[in-house]
Amino acid sequence: MKKITVLKIMVVLLFIGLISCKSEAKQVKKTLPEKRPNIIFMMSDDHAYQAISAYSNHLIETPNIDRIAKEGIKFTNACVSNSICAPSRATILTGKHCHIHGKVDNVFPFDESQMTFPQLLKEAGYQTAMFGKLHFGNNPKGIDEFKILPGQGQYYNPDFNTNEGKITVEGYVTDIIMDMTLDWLKNRRQEDKPFMLFSMQKAPHREWLPAPRHFKEYTKKTFKEPETLFDDYEGRGTAAKTAEMNLLTHMNWAGDSKLYPEMMKELGIKDMSGWDFEAFDREVGRMNAEQRAVWDSVYKPMMEDFKTKYSTMSKTELMKWRYQRYMQDYLGCIASVDENVGRLLDYLEETGLDENTIIVYTSDQGFYLGEHGWFDKRFVYDESFKTPLLIKWPNVITPGTTNTEMVQNLDFAQTILEAAHVVPPADMQGESLIPLLLGNDDEWTRDAVYYHYYEYPGIHMVKRHYAIITQDYKLAHFYYDVDEWELYDRKKDPQEMKNVINDPTYAEVVVKLKKQLLELRKQYGDSSELDQEILRKYLEAKNNPDIETVPLH
Ligand code: SGN
Ligand code: CA
């Protein structure tokens, strides 16, 4: 045969081979392994994705949390349905939107009649345990063994509610929660059952207090400022302008910036919240003599130095100083979260337990790290709306996968149940992420998510709003106190600096999204009547001390 003919034949064969490979890949869908996996659900409180190096390393390196991303999947568009603590947790446990499970804000108690996914896992034969911060106002249901922080919990020498009553443990909260997690794995895990283990950190929640071993290192660091630190909220709506979460004007001096109360007195500074001293005493006041000595050796000279400069500092300088102070403490907290994630991953690897264990790392919502001049969360804008989500599952998830779909905390319950071969109840409102974990991405059809924030009037004064979010746009309705719509072009304006609701170029987009939003509200069972009813109850409770609510502290 001539050389040229052989070559032709080879090309044709190669082509046929390629086609058959492709159609085969289409046919062979990955399925769940038969053996039921163990599940470890790690969640930190207020851990912004900007502070995880798998997402961005402009602030801190988190090598251990990153291991989960490297060995599993990283979701870059994971979000919450209501950016605040207890509502997010209730949504995670029930797989339902807040207006259905009742925990619309941090104030009202959780509806105890709601089914939570750990109850179903327990019924299906899973051993269940929970350590750390639940912040729910209730003890968890369906949990064999728990040690949870009451309310917001404390950073130093914290109290815990357990199955056997209240205990106090000496040490730093993040280390203690991981000690409890490891102790359970080592000593009380039943080998004949799969397990569902919750390990939920309090850090880095306000007031952002690091472990004593990190005081020195982190207070010496200087961090990159966000581009929008000096945002004047021009081009946004009333809600952004009236929110009380600005680093310069709304942070507490003692509790947040850690200025000693007596120095505040000397300088004649008062906190807007009126908490001046209480906030400092609540945490720093709990330290034992040893912890306090390390604190004073680092924070006192830093504050003495500030005291000498304060009266000559401009507003810009003060803002910069407060931003650095904030980041030093917040990221100091993240350092110990990351170290402790490493302890857990090491243990699982050493024992081989990692082989059949799903590991989830997430936060109850995002957080502002100075973007728009803010701290805290609540808004549907990206830094608080999006949340980190990393999942590792050996032999199921392809290591190093990045996924950009709009997945939500609403989806976690159904995902975990399906992974455990339990059929989720029909009234859950999320969508299982299993197709995305298996790599069967074409089975995923969601193109928009729904959001609703309620806690107003209240701390930080973020107005009530609901919203629809697609990959391209975000349309929000601030409906109480004002009646304002906002539209952001997510592709052109990722920092959400310009509300384009009245820009004629977007007229068609607005009509389409308003219609889709109405449909979503209907689909999920939300409505204006319900909004008014919830608001009425909230205002009534605010004005009537006899109505039972869960205080924030
Ligand atoms: C506390 C914080 C607030 C925070 C709420 C809710 N103040 O009240 O800044 O927004 O909790 O947080 S603090 O100075 O007392 O810490 S949440 O995580 O529980 O939703
Ligand atoms: Ca939170």
Side-chain angles (χ1 to χ4, degrees):
M1 246 192 288
K2 274 195 202 155
K3 245 190 191 168
I4 193 91
T5 322
V6 175
L7 204 71
K8 266 186 196 163
I9 292 171
M10 275 172 70
V11 168
V12 170
L13 283 179
L14 192 76
F15 189 65
I16 294 171
L18 276 179
I19 289 178
S20 64
C21 266
K22 214 177 161 199
S23 57
E24 221 167 79
K26 259 204 166 157
Q27 276 160 15
V28 183
K29 291 242 176 231
K30 263 176 115 181
T31 50
L32 286 177
E34 261 173 48
K35 191 166 175 208
R36 295 189 300 173
N38 305 308
I39 300 141
I40 300 182
F41 186 84
M42 279 191 276
M43 181 158 81
S44 298
D45 197 350
D46 296 354
H47 192 168
Y49 55 86
Q50 308 92 294
I52 294 180
S53 45
Y55 286 95
S56 166
N57 66 354
H58 71 288
L59 291 173
I60 189 168
E61 291 294 335
T62 50
N64 293 300
I65 298 173
D66 291 7
R67 278 159 72 183
I68 306 172
K70 278 200 194 97
E71 293 163 24
I73 188 167
K74 169 174 72 173
F75 288 92
T76 56
N77 249 322
C79 63
V80 294
S81 67
N82 182 359
S83 180
I84 182 159
C85 201
S88 169
R89 290 153 194 266
T91 291
I92 289 171
L93 290 175
T94 59
K96 292 176 189 165
H97 275 290
C98 298
H99 60 279
I100 305 285
H101 62 59
K103 194 117 191 80
V104 294
D105 51 37
N106 270 348
V107 180
F108 281 102
F110 176 63
D111 168 6
E112 282 273 18
S113 68
Q114 291 288 333
M115 176 58 76
T116 63
F117 81 81
Q119 288 169 276
L120 298 167
L121 287 181
K122 184 173 156 72
E123 267 172 35
Y126 268 71
Q127 190 188 4
T128 57
M130 182 183 283
F131 305 106
K133 181 166 176 181
L134 180 60
H135 190 226
F136 215 46
N138 309 71
N139 284 339
K141 292 193 292 177
I143 302 291
D144 298 324
E145 179 179 328
F146 65 84
K147 293 192 174 86
I148 56 168
L149 297 161
Q152 297 281 16
Q154 297 120 344
Y155 273 102
Y156 306 107
N157 317 315
D159 298 328
F160 285 86
N161 291 333
T162 78
N163 307 64
E164 280 140 25
K166 204 170 168 159
I167 56 168
T168 303
V169 187
E170 195 82 357
Y172 182 64
V173 71
T174 310
D175 302 333
I176 295 169
I177 291 168
M178 194 50 76
D179 289 346
M180 288 171 168
T181 304
L182 288 169
D183 174 55
W184 183 87
L185 278 170
K186 287 175 188 165
N187 302 315
R188 282 184 308 292
R189 186 172 70 83
Q190 288 169 243
E191 305 253 339
D192 58 339
K193 280 184 170 186
F195 64 81
M196 171 74 230
L197 170 60
F198 293 87
S199 185
M200 312 214 281
Q201 291 298 351
K202 169 193 166 62
H205 191 270
R206 195 180 182 190
E207 281 106 357
W208 320 296
L209 287 131
R213 65 180 176 280
H214 291 125
F215 290 166
K216 204 168 179 179
E217 182 190 348
Y218 275 79
T219 52
K220 294 266 176 294
K221 287 184 190 263
T222 305
F223 298 96
K224 187 174 184 284
E225 287 172 8
E227 281 170 35
T228 57
L229 182 63
F230 293 94
D231 195 351
D232 60 4
Y233 313 114
E234 195 54 44
R236 252 60 49 72
T238 308
K241 297 184 176 100
T242 54
E244 297 180 352
M245 22 195 256
N246 187 274
L247 296 185
L248 180 65
T249 44
H250 302 115
M251 268 193 165
N252 290 330
W253 280 96
D256 296 332
S257 293
K258 320 293 176 356
L259 184 61
Y260 285 61
E262 57 270 22
M263 296 188 196
M264 281 178 73
K265 267 193 208 150
E266 281 173 54
L267 294 172
I269 303 179
K270 275 210 161 306
D271 273 341
M272 195 185 122
S273 64
W275 291 349
D276 311 4
F277 314 132
E278 183 210 311
F280 192 86
D281 289 343
R282 195 183 334 124
E283 287 292 359
V284 181
R286 278 189 75 85
M287 290 181 181
N288 61 30
E290 202 184 317
Q291 294 159 339
R292 183 64 195 246
V294 187
W295 174 271
D296 283 334
S297 74
V298 175
Y299 282 77
K300 210 165 212 157
M302 176 167 63
M303 292 306 167
E304 291 288 0
D305 177 59
F306 171 72
K307 218 175 76 180
T308 62
K309 294 181 182 145
Y310 173 71
S311 60
T312 60
M313 283 167 90
S314 67
K315 277 195 173 164
T316 306
E317 284 166 337
L318 274 176
M319 178 61 147
K320 285 171 172 279
W321 184 86
R322 297 202 86 171
Y323 169 73
Q324 293 303 334
R325 268 296 33 259
Y326 170 36
M327 283 302 92
Q328 288 164 353
D329 292 344
Y330 182 97
L331 296 167
C333 287
I334 301 298
S336 56
V337 170
D338 189 66
E339 285 167 4
N340 278 293
V341 169
R343 285 174 68 201
L344 178 64
L345 297 180
D346 288 348
Y347 174 77
L348 296 171
E349 270 167 33
E350 277 155 29
T351 52
L353 248 184
D354 64 322
E355 282 295 311
N356 190 37
T357 300
I358 301 179
I359 298 174
V360 180
Y361 187 87
T362 189
S363 169
D364 55 348
Q365 25 37 228
F367 212 69
Y368 293 95
L369 303 183
E371 299 87 359
H372 305 293
W374 286 334
F375 64 104
D376 214 67
K377 52 252 180 180
R378 297 158 196 270
F379 275 113
V380 71
Y381 309 138
D382 265 12
E383 291 81 1
S384 42
F385 164 67
K386 291 200 338 188
T387 196
L389 179 62
L390 309 170
I391 308 178
K392 174 187 171 221
W393 190 357
N395 305 316
V396 174
I397 299 174
T398 308
T401 306
T402 297
N403 185 290
T404 58
E405 295 294 347
M406 303 203 48
V407 302
Q408 232 175 355
N409 59 347
L410 183 70
D411 305 326
F412 295 175
Q414 277 148 275
T415 306
I416 292 174
L417 288 172
E418 193 181 336
H421 300 210
V422 177
V423 179
D427 62 350
M428 285 191 171
Q429 297 182 310
E431 285 176 45
S432 164
L433 307 182
I434 294 294
L436 302 179
L437 304 188
L438 290 173
N440 300 332
D441 292 17
D442 52 342
E443 287 175 21
W444 183 261
T445 54
R446 179 191 281 155
D447 60 356
V449 293
Y450 181 60
Y451 183 87
H452 199 155
Y453 171 78
Y454 296 85
E455 198 179 282
Y456 179 89
I459 188 166
H460 300 302
M461 295 302 273
V462 172
K463 292 186 194 295
R464 288 167 187 249
H465 56 295
Y466 56 81
I468 180 169
I469 305 92
T470 65
Q471 293 274 4
D472 294 337
Y473 300 105
K474 192 176 279 182
L475 176 79
H477 184 204
F478 292 81
Y479 61 89
Y480 173 61
D481 239 20
V482 288
D483 181 7
E484 289 180 11
W485 289 84
E486 295 184 14
L487 176 74
Y488 294 94
D489 185 327
R490 303 187 75 195
K491 293 270 155 65
K492 285 200 187 136
D493 176 25
Q495 294 187 335
E496 298 164 310
M497 298 296 279
K498 199 166 167 15
N499 171 17
V500 290
I501 193 79
N502 293 319
D503 180 338
T505 339
Y506 293 93
E508 261 177 49
V509 172
V510 172
V511 172
K512 192 173 157 254
L513 282 176
K514 278 193 177 172
K515 187 166 166 271
Q516 208 181 343
L517 173 57
L518 211 66
E519 282 161 12
L520 263 191
R521 266 164 72 82
K522 230 186 185 157
Q523 176 196 326
Y524 288 130
D526 207 0
S527 66
S528 308
E529 292 75 42
L530 203 52
D531 300 347
Q532 293 309 316
E533 176 65 11
I534 290 168
L535 174 65
R536 192 185 56 71
K537 276 199 203 148
Y538 181 87
L539 295 176
E540 199 176 278
K542 262 201 164 289
N543 298 324
N544 183 353
D546 293 338
I547 295 178
E548 194 201 337
T549 55
V550 183
L552 287 174
H553 280 291

